[in-house]
Amino acid sequence: MYGQNLTRAAHFVSDVLGPRLIADTGQWGTYAWSELLLATPALRILGGTEEIMKNILAERVLGLPKEVRP
């Protein structure tokens, strides 16, 4: 959920700021958002892919049968 929320926040900020997101205009806080936007994909990968996490929760927490792999 953390990765999804960061991605949503980064996309929202990029829609609001537009080109000012990556241009250093000198205004406080505008250029700092580009770091979040660029780091978001790495944070999602770092936390494990969502599908793997969903499978782990389904198998270990909910007790569902393991996924059949070909």
Side-chain angles (χ1 to χ4, degrees), residues 6-56:
L6 280 178
T7 301
R8 288 181 184 144
H11 285 293
F12 174 75
V13 169
S14 69
D15 289 341
V16 171
L17 293 178
R20 292 182 298 161
L21 179 70
I22 55 172
D24 190 2
T25 61
Q27 292 178 333
W28 182 84
T30 55
Y31 191 66
W33 285 102
S34 65
E35 184 177 345
L36 174 67
L37 181 68
L38 295 173
T40 301
L43 292 172
R44 291 186 72 177
I45 292 170
L46 180 66
T49 62
E50 294 177 32
E51 294 301 318
I52 292 173
M53 296 304 291
K54 288 178 184 177
N55 282 341
I56 290 172

